[in-house]
Structure formats: structure tokens, C-alpha cells
Amino acid sequence: MRRTGGALLSLLTLFAAGAFGQARDQILRRTEAPILAEVVSENYEKVVYKDGRNEGDVPTLEVKDIIYSDTPDAYYTAEDYRDQGDFENAIKSFRLAQNTGSVRPWVQEYSRFQIAECHRRWGAGHFADAIAAFKELIAQHPESRFLGAALYGVGQCQLSTGQANEAIASFDQLEREAASKRLGEIWIIRARFDKGWAQLAVKQFGPARNTFASAASLIDTTLGRSDTLAPAMKRELESLQVSAKLGEGDSYLEEGLYDRAETFFKSLASGANGSSSNALKAGATNGLGECLFQKKQYEEARLEFTRANVLFRGSDEQTARSLYWLGKCVESLQEPRWQSKQESYWGELRGRFPESRWTQKLPQE
């Protein structure tokens, strides 16, 4: 969430506190300059701050992060471990931060969220711990500004562990909470998109197509206001827009309707249905590759995945997808030295996209 050196930030906040006579927290906003003031309270609706005698607030949707002036050193250490992928030591350090004296209550809430996220990012074998930690955060801090992320995290972990029906219920809950508590349209979109995959996992093919379509429609509406979106949010929505529009074809693949899927993807690849972006063309090309793979036309499939990977780069999701299937193709073809070729594709997949759903499909090392 933050990447400011702990020692440097401590010096800055000490200087600021001395200069202004009060704690100077940093409210980092998505599109505007940071606010240096004392944070009085925060929840999923707004962050309230005090600057001298003046009090103000910022909608939580506009807040990227908050760096508190009393952040313990253990918390910064935990962030460094987390960013290095050392989740075991990160969790230990976040727990140590929770037990640091003379720190405002925020550290309990933030550390609980970070511990849950570390378990989730740690991957297979740790999703149950992540679910428990997210639920503890929600129970202990029901108005947390991390509420949307925690509900989403529960659903993601359930989906990753094969609890698709439970995931559907969690994503439905997230959509309800996002609407009633005005957490932001992005959480409704994320909920619908991942709910579509959960529905496919339990063979609810028709409902999944409807869910992907509703997600795509809301994304189109939200992107229509792109001048008000933060750049990172716009990029995420554009990526989800592509995947949601590909959802119909992906549902045919999951249903085993390969001829119908092939027709759908060929239509997109030819430039129909507004498929002008490289990302959408990459998805359509990958989709064609999957159709051919399922028909055991492995050489033809590899050609499509290579085209997607080389000609139409521009989407992390689709690049990860092509790398995964290229590894499957060389295995199926049983070429000389296919193992080293597969490891080349899958090593790139692990290294560049560690949290991708395609990486999660790989055999555990």
C-alpha cells in the first residue's frame, strides 16, 4: 500500500509534528495532492481530519492510503517483507506492530487487513487462514474502509479453494454492501465479474453469461465518466471490460460447446462487436487457441497462443493466459526438450504474474 522508507518517513513526520505542533498524518489521495493533518476518524464513507482548528473530510473513495505519524517500525518492516514476498515474516511483523504501545487504534485494523492479505497472496494452503482473517477484520471493524476489499478477499479465497457456491454468496453480499453503503461501483463490478467465474465453476452457464454481461454494461457506463477516474482505476476497468466481454465465449468453452465458442471468438478476432483493442483481440485469439486445444489440434492451438502473446500484448490477463496454454501445448505435443520449453513459459508466468488466476492453475512447486 505504501512505499516510503520507514526511517525517512519517521524523520519527516517528527519534523512536521515539531513545525506544526500536532501529529501530521498523510492522507494520500488518488487524483489530488496529499493532505497533511491529524486523522480523527476513518470508515468506508469518509476520512475525517483536523488541521489546527479546522476540520474537514475526504470521501473514502478518493483515498489511496493513509500514512500515520505514529506508525511503528515493525509495521514498516512488515511491509518490506510483504513486498519481497516473504509473507511468513510479514505476518509476524504485522502482529508485532499490533502489540506496540502508544499507537492509536488504527494499527489493529490495518494490521488485521494486511495479515489477511498476506495469507491470500501466499496462495495455496493459506486461503483458509485468509478467509478467517478477513472475517475477523469485518467482525472487529464493521465500518472499516477496507470493508469492500475484505468481502472481496473472502470470495476470492473461497473460489480458489473450490468453494464456488460459498463464493457466489460472498460476491452477492459484496454487491449488496457496495450498493447500500456506497463503497463504489468498482466493488460491484469486481463482485459481478468474479461471481461469473464462480457460476461457471458450478456449471451455471446461462447465469454466468448474464452476470458477465451485466458487469460489462456497468463497466461501459463507468468508463463513460473516465474523466473523473483515477488512472489506475481506469486501467483496471479497461482490463475487466475486456474479460467481461470475453465471458460469453469463455462460458461456451467451460460448457464444452467448442464450435459455438470458436464462432464467437472468430467474430471478435475479425474486429466485430467493437473489438478494436489489442487486449480484446488477444483474448479472442487466446479463446480460439483454447478451442483448438480442446479439439486436440495442439500445433494450431500453439500458433494462436503465440500470436496472442507476440502480436497483441497489452493485457496482463491475456498475456498470462497465453503463457499458461503455451506450456500446456508443448506438453501435449511432447516435443524434444518440451519440459524446458514448458518451464520457460511457466517460469515467465510465475515471475511476471504471481497473483494471476492462470498462475494458480500451475502445479505446485
Side-chain angles (χ1 to χ4, degrees):
M1 294 175 63
R2 67 194 88 192
R3 289 304 310 135
T4 305
L8 175 61
L9 185 61
S10 297
L11 290 173
L12 290 173
T13 49
L14 281 173
F15 171 78
F20 295 98
Q22 69 176 79
R24 306 294 288 185
D25 306 317
Q26 295 186 53
I27 304 172
L28 306 182
R29 293 184 287 180
R30 297 188 185 280
T31 57
E32 298 185 57
I35 295 173
L36 295 178
E38 179 186 3
V39 174
V40 177
S41 66
E42 59 167 288
N43 56 31
Y44 56 72
E45 182 179 1
K46 62 184 177 181
V47 175
V48 179
Y49 63 88
K50 187 176 182 181
D51 187 8
R53 294 182 179 180
N54 300 318
E55 191 170 283
D57 62 72
V58 181
T60 297
L61 283 171
E62 297 178 11
V63 175
K64 181 178 180 181
D65 195 11
I66 300 173
I67 302 177
Y68 281 93
S69 60
D70 59 344
T71 299
D73 288 341
Y75 195 96
Y76 289 122
T77 300
E79 289 185 317
D80 287 337
Y81 279 130
R82 178 203 62 200
D83 293 346
Q84 296 165 18
D86 185 350
F87 300 117
E88 182 176 9
N89 281 315
I91 290 168
K92 290 178 181 177
S93 293
F94 281 124
R95 285 177 176 153
L96 184 62
Q98 287 180 307
N99 295 320
T100 302
S102 303
V103 179
R104 284 172 284 173
W106 71 267
V107 76
Q108 298 296 329
E109 175 185 345
Y110 278 50
S111 294
R112 283 190 174 105
F113 175 72
Q114 291 298 339
I115 288 168
E117 273 291 284
C118 283
H119 280 301
R120 183 190 67 80
R121 291 174 59 184
W122 203 343
H126 301 275
F127 291 125
D129 290 328
I131 291 170
F134 280 127
K135 288 184 175 180
E136 179 186 10
L137 170 71
I138 295 167
Q140 295 293 325
H141 309 280
E143 295 189 353
S144 173
R145 72 180 181 90
F146 302 118
L147 178 61
L151 290 168
Y152 186 55
V154 170
Q156 284 183 305
C157 293
Q158 289 169 332
L159 185 55
S160 296
T161 51
Q163 304 174 67
N165 284 312
E166 291 83 352
I168 291 170
S170 293
F171 293 132
D172 280 338
Q173 180 185 0
L174 172 56
E175 181 167 352
R176 290 194 302 271
E177 295 281 4
S180 65
K181 294 182 170 68
R182 292 181 292 182
L183 303 181
E185 288 175 334
I186 185 63
W187 291 115
I188 298 176
I189 291 166
R190 289 168 177 158
R192 289 182 185 177
F193 180 73
D194 278 30
K195 178 184 173 181
W197 287 110
Q199 288 172 319
L200 288 183
V202 292
K203 303 186 185 305
Q204 296 179 11
F205 303 113
R209 284 191 275 274
N210 291 336
T211 301
F212 284 130
S214 67
S217 177
L218 182 55
I219 294 169
D220 288 343
T221 300
T222 305
L223 283 173
R225 304 190 300 273
S226 60
D227 56 326
T228 65
L229 296 173
M233 185 75 71
K234 183 179 179 181
R235 287 193 298 271
E236 180 185 355
L237 285 171
E238 287 172 343
S239 177
L240 288 172
Q241 182 186 49
V242 169
S243 296
K245 288 183 176 180
L246 291 166
E248 180 179 347
D250 290 329
S251 73
Y252 295 139
L253 279 172
E254 294 289 331
E255 197 171 357
L257 302 176
Y258 304 126
D259 290 337
R260 193 165 182 181
E262 190 171 351
T263 299
F264 176 85
F265 289 125
K266 281 182 176 178
S267 176
L268 285 183
S270 69
N273 304 315
S275 55
S276 59
S277 74
N278 270 2
L280 201 55
K281 288 180 180 178
T285 306
N286 277 328
L288 281 173
E290 284 194 52
C291 293
L292 294 167
F293 185 92
Q294 297 300 337
K295 293 179 178 181
K296 303 188 185 303
Q297 298 176 32
Y298 302 124
E299 190 60 62
E300 294 85 348
R302 181 168 64 172
L303 176 60
E304 296 299 331
F305 294 128
T306 301
R307 290 179 67 244
N309 189 42
V310 175
L311 297 180
F312 301 126
R313 286 208 169 193
S315 163
D316 287 353
E317 162 73 9
Q318 296 306 322
T319 300
R321 182 180 185 179
S322 63
L323 289 169
Y324 172 80
W325 283 106
L326 281 167
K328 296 290 287 183
C329 283
V330 296
E331 179 180 356
S332 298
L333 287 166
Q334 290 289 297
E335 295 180 334
R337 301 184 301 279
W338 69 264
Q339 295 95 333
S340 62
K341 294 178 182 178
Q342 182 181 73
E343 183 48 41
S344 176
Y345 291 127
W346 287 359
E348 183 180 351
L349 174 55
R350 291 189 186 96
R352 294 182 58 197
F353 311 107
E355 295 189 44
S356 168
R357 65 189 180 94
W358 299 103
T359 304
Q360 292 176 18
K361 291 176 177 286
L362 297 178
Q364 296 301 308
E365 295 181 317

